[in-house]
Amino acid sequence: MVAVAGVERERGRISFKAILRRPALAVRCRGGYLLVTLGGKVIDRVEGYSLDPSWMLPEYSTLSGSDSVDPKWDSLPAGEEWDQLLQLAGDLFDHGILQENAGFVQELRWIPQQGGGFWYLICEGGLRLSWGLADGSGSRLPGAISDKIEALKDVLERKDGLVPLASTINEIVLYGGPAPIIVER
């Protein structure tokens, strides 16, 4: 994910400017994954049926299956599902979750509903976090991004104690306010 510009040669030396772009998420496609930026641009394609864990990227598989995702796309198409995916990934990135806790959020799942979709974050150890709607609201209303991020940060602070209990936890609700709600099995 490199773009090189301004190559100069002088006295046996080569200098250049490089722009490095790191993908923010991996979208499952036929035969592999599309590596996608927060703006929805596809910057690479990786073949295989599992993504190397060293990428530490959240993965997304559309409900209509990987055959509906063309491996030749150069950007994600317009549409509610893709717009919400980018909104959610952007919110997680903007608040440092994806960078400071790389690999914790392993998968993003979308359940379409009338009036929007419902998102789950599948995390380290199988923890299932209920994000709720992926909207750009900055208000302090229940379910606002600021509350979800606060709840998620609380989970991250306690993850060493929560991950071993993942099999006894049905889900952790992030959209109910600034404190996470742990729903046990």
Side-chain angles (χ1 to χ4, degrees), residues 123-128 161-171 185:
C123 301
E124 184 180 320
L127 284 177
R128 183 178 169 181
L162 290 172
V163 168
L165 300 174
S167 64
T168 66
I169 298 172
N170 186 45
E171 68 181 338
R185 293 191 191 276

Side-chain angles (χ1 to χ4, degrees), residues 143-156:
I145 299 303
S146 57
D147 287 346
K148 294 175 189 180
I149 293 297
E150 286 304 310
L152 180 51
K153 286 181 178 178
D154 186 297
V155 169
L156 287 165

